[in-house]
Amino acid sequence: MGGAMGLGNWTPAAEFNIYVDPEAAEIVFQSGIPVVMAGLDVTHRAQIMADDIERFRAINNPVARTVAELLDFFMEYHKTEKWGFQGAPLHDPCTIAWLLKPEIFTTARRWVGVETQGKYTQGMTVVDYYMLSGNEPNTDIMLDIDRQAFVDLLAERLAFYQE
């Protein structure tokens, strides 16, 4: 999980995970290994709403209750004027959801680079969405998510825990 095609969450241009080590991220994106980018563009759509939290809480096992309590906090945090979300966006769980059910995501194959020296853009993931650079695509970028399928997957996995 890292990056974004647009706004950052740590600087105006950079998402936190890429910002803290842009050189390493650039090496990974240019390495030739298969890369899937779960950026803020999709993780901000993976919001958990109040009804979803109550659904998780109703599963009534220690793991589901703990997740619900954590989400109660994240819900309040993300409702602040700074963020303005209706729910709590879940970033890192999108990565695991991709591994379990990639079909719930919409993706596009594009070239991605990381700005490593920009005065205002250090850590920014530069996505050649319209393929203007002539660079060969090196990344599958998550663009959208079936939010309900994501919530259902989380509920299913939370219910899997047996005391």
Side-chain angles (χ1 to χ4, degrees):
M1 184 280 132
M5 286 197 314
L7 302 173
N9 66 353
W10 201 252
T11 73
E15 178 275 329
F16 174 79
N17 290 326
I18 304 295
Y19 178 76
V20 295
D21 197 346
E23 291 82 6
E26 173 66 356
I27 289 168
V28 170
F29 279 109
Q30 304 314 319
S31 69
I33 64 171
V35 176
V36 178
M37 185 173 98
L40 297 176
D41 313 283
V42 74
T43 67
H44 283 174
R45 291 181 177 94
Q47 288 186 51
I48 302 301
M49 305 301 184
D51 291 348
D52 304 322
I53 295 171
E54 292 314 311
R55 178 181 175 190
F56 299 161
R57 196 180 324 275
I59 293 170
N60 201 25
N61 68 41
V63 173
R65 283 191 302 273
T66 300
V67 167
E69 290 170 7
L70 289 168
L71 288 169
D72 287 337
F73 168 79
F74 288 130
M75 183 85 146
E76 288 307 311
Y77 172 77
H78 285 97
K79 282 185 178 178
T80 63
E81 186 177 332
K82 175 182 178 179
W83 301 114
F85 289 107
Q86 296 297 312
L90 292 186
H91 305 288
D92 297 332
C94 285
T95 303
I96 303 306
W98 167 264
L99 294 171
L100 296 174
K101 287 198 170 185
E103 65 272 14
I104 70 174
F105 296 91
T106 302
T107 63
R109 185 132 182 92
R110 297 294 188 268
W111 182 85
V112 177
V114 178
E115 177 57 58
T116 60
Q117 299 179 32
K119 178 178 178 181
Y120 302 109
T121 59
Q122 183 169 341
M124 179 181 189
T125 44
V126 178
V127 178
D128 187 5
Y129 188 81
Y130 294 111
M131 297 189 246
L132 303 171
S133 68
N135 293 323
E136 288 295 318
N138 60 356
T139 305
D140 289 309
I141 303 166
M142 293 182 195
L143 300 174
D144 205 355
I145 185 171
D146 178 338
R147 194 195 77 80
Q148 191 57 56
F150 177 68
V151 171
D152 293 345
L153 176 62
L154 291 175
E156 171 191 307
R157 300 320 302 158
L158 289 170
F160 185 75
Y161 178 81
Q162 301 294 317
E163 293 187 68

